[in-house]
Amino acid sequence: MLRGSLFARPPIGVCLRHHSAALVRSHSVSCGSDFKIDKMTNQNILNFVKQVIEHAPSDWLKLTTHRLDIYNEGLAKVEFLDHLESLLKNNSVSETALQELPTAFDYIRLGHPLSCLLEWTLAKQQSIDEKNVISFSSMTMPIYAILRKNKLDNINTRLIYRNELPECFDTELLQQVYGYEFDCINLSTVNQLPAFDGITIYINQGKKITSRSQSSEFDFIIQVIKDQGSIVFINHKNANEYSAAIQHVRRRETIAMTPHDCLAILQQLTNTRTDEQSFSSNHEAVYRSIQEINGVKTQPILSSSGLSVQYAILMGLIDDAKTKHPNKDIKIVVPPNCYGGTNDQSRRIAAAIENVEVVDLPVDGDHDMVQSVELVLSQLAKVDAIPFIIAEIPTNPRVEVPDLQLLSQALQKSRTTPTGEAAIAPIFILDQTFCPNVHFLGDDDILAEVKTIAYVSGSKFPSGGLCTAGYAIANTKADYLMHIIEQHLELCDNSATNKQIELLEQQIPSMLSRIQSAYQNTRAFVNHIQAALPAAKINFVSEELAAHGFTPSVFSLDLPAPGNTEVEKEKNKQELNHKLIELMIQELPDEAKHCVSYGQLKGSYWTIPATSTQGTTKEKDKDYIVRVSIAPDMDIEKHKTVFSHFVQSI
């Protein structure tokens, strides 16, 4: 048995939402290398999968972020599977070979080695292209992904099912709030399907993967596996279009099926599963920890990821606004250079729902968040619109904190519409991922009088990078909204899994001490950079802000670069960015990583936001700077030494 593989330790529980299976060691079976992949027998496929599971690196099961230095975003999943198939052809499966495969997706929420392996296995069994098999942790989101595309393309849709639809499916909510139009037909009540001008989706529910019956009749088959998620098979002639649209929903509004659940299904398919066992996930313990950290008594909600809960927040608020203020325009106010997922998701919602529009909120650099909030809210009052403001504090990637007293005043300020009526007060949606320790929400805190909902990505400090789960919690003034937000979280089946909750339960109690240790390491490194390279521009919190609790462990760095023109200086700066990152990772291979994440347990993480975290942000708003995040457990002296070597080299 190879050291470090999935099985090179005692069995680990495999997550189902309510129950799980333990890992077992399977025997390595040679597939042979003298057959063509496109003519593989089912047994060939399963034998190969057994080998891969046997030798899979343990990181496949436990990491949320993967290596960027061997990742080609344009070939996400494809390059990984191409190299995986080459191992099959050469009969050369080993832990080392699997570790060297190209990164499938840079972030586990989007996909990961085990989700790709599961999709590849099912695609080979069904003789369809791997890109046309997509797994979800949610039982319903692939349905909504197709409904969304068909709505935008003005295509009719019907849902075919037997006996019942997924329990969380709510036809009225989907039609009234999301604007999706579709017909539902229960196969148990009809003898023959009528002709239909549009897209037909067959929803097959069960606890196990079953063969796809009557596949020629359906454009899509969605296999719903209770407590684990769903898998969509695309048969439509425009498969490429739909594959991209469905994958984009998985990227922005939900998550891929979790590694534990993918592994459980692969074990079921290969008959390598043991008896099922439950995880000891304690919702109440996690709720109490979140309440204590935020200094509030309101009830939090737990989601499969930060973007999952952000989606539920926005859709819940839109639902509430449509009910209370029908026909009024809704404005989602978003910083144009914030995290790309937030930016993209907001614009996707606006594109799909009538009377919803995105408004830019410049917040850092040459712009002040308070002034921008004042300007935007005054403009929206003039058109009698409903404002939802999303902001990160500190901002990302410039790590700036606005004057919170003035921000609170700007958000609370009474404004009037052109008819003299009171303008609708904003709801403030606070992305608190960078500083989840700061008290914003308590009855005596700075935002107590502003309707505020804060959310945090759980893959950062709450879990230390061990899972993607997120959470949201409101202050007293906004607490009445949490019920409708939770309703939309459940509609999308985007609640946290039991395995995720178990990890949060284990990690959240140490979160505050980890935040403090990581900040101290970051401050020491920033101080060294300032001394070693005074001309560098560093974006980090001041000592004064840190004394008030703003202790992030991320900073951004503008390196000084020569040049006769601004264009030349920018080009040289970007080259220096890459040189610094490559040197840190080369000299500190066990500490420094190419990574977009933050709040992890060990080491340092280096990225350039314009090429990673800002994603779909408009080009003019991207930051071609170095963003560094520091963990509580790291060798700070080695980092200082390597940076000094970098300074000497330039």
Side-chain angles (χ1 to χ4, degrees), residues 61 184 199 217 386 395 397 467 482 508 591:
L61 200 61
C184 292
I199 296 297
E217 295 184 40
I386 304 169
T395 60
C467 72
M482 293 302 283
I508 283 187
E591 291 263 337

Side-chain angles (χ1 to χ4, degrees), residues 239-427:
N240 287 345
E241 277 185 35
Y242 277 99
S243 175
I246 293 168
Q247 181 66 52
H248 206 145
V249 166
R250 190 172 85 169
R251 179 182 183 88
R252 292 305 190 211
E253 284 89 41
T254 185
I255 65 170
M257 185 177 289
T258 68
H260 288 85
D261 285 336
C262 288
L263 182 59
I265 294 174
L266 287 165
Q267 289 176 320
Q268 172 215 315
L269 292 170
T270 55
N271 294 314
T272 56
R273 291 181 65 174
T274 59
D275 293 336
E276 293 177 351
Q277 61 183 21
S278 297
F279 280 107
S280 58
S281 56
N282 187 336
H283 290 71
E284 293 303 322
V286 177
Y287 292 156
R288 285 194 300 272
S289 292
I290 294 171
Q291 289 168 331
E292 290 169 6
I293 287 166
N294 285 275
V296 297
K297 296 180 180 179
T298 56
Q299 182 84 343
I301 55 176
L302 306 177
S303 63
S304 62
S305 73
L307 279 180
S308 294
V309 79
Q310 179 186 282
Y311 188 56
I313 291 168
L314 286 173
M315 294 309 303
L317 296 186
I318 289 170
D319 188 0
D320 182 70
K322 282 177 172 283
T323 301
K324 293 176 180 174
H325 307 285
N327 303 319
K328 284 195 176 184
D329 289 339
I330 297 167
K331 307 293 185 180
I332 305 175
V333 184
V334 186
N337 68 331
C338 73
Y339 166 58
T342 294
N343 225 307
D344 191 32
Q345 184 191 97
S346 300
R347 284 169 167 73
R348 286 166 55 77
I349 289 172
I353 301 180
E354 191 175 356
N355 295 337
V356 178
E357 183 183 16
V358 169
V359 175
D360 286 346
L361 180 77
V363 297
D364 58 10
D366 296 328
H367 303 281
D368 177 76
M369 184 185 294
V370 175
Q371 293 176 0
S372 294
V373 165
E374 175 63 47
L375 177 63
V376 168
L377 290 181
S378 296
Q379 291 173 340
L380 297 186
K382 292 177 182 178
V383 294
D384 194 17
I386 304 169
F388 305 145
I389 299 178
I390 304 177
E392 299 165 291
I393 300 178
T395 60
N396 177 19
R398 295 287 174 174
V399 201
E400 296 177 355
V401 177
D403 184 314
L404 296 176
Q405 189 67 46
L406 294 179
L407 176 64
S408 178
Q409 291 173 7
L411 290 167
Q412 291 181 61
K413 183 178 177 180
S414 297
R415 298 174 177 86
T416 56
T417 68
T419 60
E421 297 178 346
I424 297 170
I427 295 173

Side-chain angles (χ1 to χ4, degrees), residues 446-586:
I446 195 72
L447 295 178
E449 298 305 313
V450 179
K451 292 179 184 178
T452 305
I453 301 161
Y455 70 97
V456 176
S457 170
S459 66
K460 312 306 187 290
F461 269 122
S463 78
L466 300 182
C467 72
T468 63
Y471 64 80
I473 189 165
N475 63 4
T476 301
K477 272 196 166 295
D479 189 40
Y480 73 97
L481 292 163
M482 293 302 283
H483 173 72
I484 196 166
I485 290 169
E486 187 170 22
Q487 186 179 4
H488 284 267
L489 187 72
E490 292 174 351
L491 173 78
C492 296
D493 193 34
N494 272 340
S495 298
T497 69
N498 277 354
K499 178 60 179 177
Q500 291 177 325
I501 295 168
E502 181 185 72
L503 289 168
L504 291 179
E505 183 185 358
Q506 293 168 0
Q507 295 297 319
I508 283 187
S510 67
M511 185 170 82
L512 295 182
S513 64
R514 284 186 280 114
I515 287 173
Q516 186 60 31
S517 296
Y519 165 74
Q520 291 170 351
N521 283 336
T522 311
R523 176 62 70 187
F525 194 31
V526 165
N527 288 345
H528 177 78
I529 293 172
Q530 287 174 327
L533 190 61
K537 180 183 178 183
I538 301 174
N539 294 97
F540 192 49
V541 292
S542 66
E543 297 275 8
E544 182 183 2
L545 279 171
H548 286 86
F550 286 96
T551 53
S553 52
V554 64
F555 66 94
S556 66
L557 180 63
D558 262 327
L559 294 170
N564 296 318
T565 65
E566 288 303 314
V567 172
E568 189 177 334
K569 288 179 181 179
E570 180 66 23
K571 178 178 180 294
N572 291 335
K573 184 190 76 172
Q574 292 184 28
E575 290 176 356
L576 276 181
N577 287 345
H578 288 287
K579 181 178 180 179
L580 172 61
I581 292 174
E582 292 302 326
L583 181 66
M584 297 299 300
I585 292 168
Q586 177 182 328

Side-chain angles (χ1 to χ4, degrees), residues 83-156:
H83 283 68
L84 184 73
E85 289 189 354
S86 71
L87 299 184
L88 170 59
K89 290 178 181 178
N90 298 323
N91 193 28
S92 57
V93 176
S94 68
E95 184 195 353
T96 299
L98 294 173
Q99 283 178 330
E100 293 174 353
L101 291 175
T103 295
F105 291 92
D106 62 333
Y107 188 35
I108 193 176
R109 174 172 54 77
L110 315 181
H112 46 84
L114 287 169
S115 69
C116 293
L117 178 62
L118 174 60
E119 291 157 7
W120 178 89
T121 303
L122 296 172
K124 291 302 178 189
Q125 288 182 324
Q126 304 295 342
S127 299
I128 62 176
D129 195 304
E130 296 90 344
K131 70 174 178 295
N132 296 332
V133 182
I134 304 173
S135 63
F136 285 74
S137 182
S138 165
M139 294 187 291
T140 54
M141 284 303 286
I143 305 172
Y144 307 159
I146 300 166
L147 290 174
R148 180 185 189 278
K149 176 170 170 52
N150 287 352
K151 175 187 178 179
L152 294 174
D153 294 345
N154 198 28
I155 296 173
N156 297 324

